[in-house]
């Protein structure tokens, strides 16, 4: 697997932090969020991890968005994604 660039690492961190922020906004722990959405807690943990070398796919982000009933545009329409790397 190729090494991530600095920009890739920054984007990966922003995505993980956005997922965690939106999950916390629901008031649910990783375990409760996972149970409510019928997925494994470790999946949520991986999505929120900035240490996950593989990162999160756009398909996983879309799945997460559906769980929150938001669009991909809503997910990425955040000031963090508008900042330069």
């Amino acid at each position: 697997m190729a090494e991530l660039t600095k920009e890739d690492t920054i984007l990966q961190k922003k995505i993980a932090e956005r997922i965690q922020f939106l999950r916390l906004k629901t008031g649910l722990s990783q375990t409760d969020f996972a149970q409510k959405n019928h997925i494994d807690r470790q999946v949520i943990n991986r999505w929120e991890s900035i240490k996950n070398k593989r990162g999160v796919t756009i398909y996983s982000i879309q799945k997460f968005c559906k769980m929150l009933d938001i669009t991909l545009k809503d997910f990425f329409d955040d000031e963090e994604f508008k900042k330069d790397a």
Side-chain angles (χ1 to χ4, degrees):
M1 180 169 24
E3 287 292 317
L4 295 177
T5 65
K6 179 181 176 186
E7 291 81 15
D8 292 340
T9 303
I10 291 169
L11 180 59
Q12 178 185 13
K13 183 176 188 275
K14 288 178 182 182
I15 290 170
E17 289 173 348
R18 181 76 171 145
I19 289 172
Q20 183 179 40
F21 171 80
L22 291 170
R23 178 194 48 84
L24 290 172
K25 205 168 149 182
T26 69
L28 298 172
S29 67
Q30 285 184 348
T31 301
D32 293 338
F33 187 86
Q35 287 175 343
K36 178 183 177 200
N37 292 285
H38 311 288
I39 59 173
D40 193 282
R41 183 199 60 80
Q42 290 177 329
V43 170
I44 300 298
N45 185 274
R46 274 194 305 271
W47 290 350
E48 293 181 6
S49 174
I50 59 172
K51 296 178 182 171
N52 181 1
K53 297 287 185 203
R54 292 175 22 201
V56 180
T57 67
I58 192 69
Y59 306 108
S60 296
I61 297 169
Q62 184 175 24
K63 182 177 182 175
F64 177 75
C65 288
K66 285 182 180 184
M67 292 174 195
L68 296 176
D69 197 27
I70 64 172
T71 65
L72 282 170
K73 182 182 182 314
D74 294 332
F75 182 88
F76 287 106
D77 191 19
D78 183 75
E79 286 303 313
E80 274 304 309
F81 294 109
K82 296 175 185 171
K83 294 179 184 176
D84 289 334

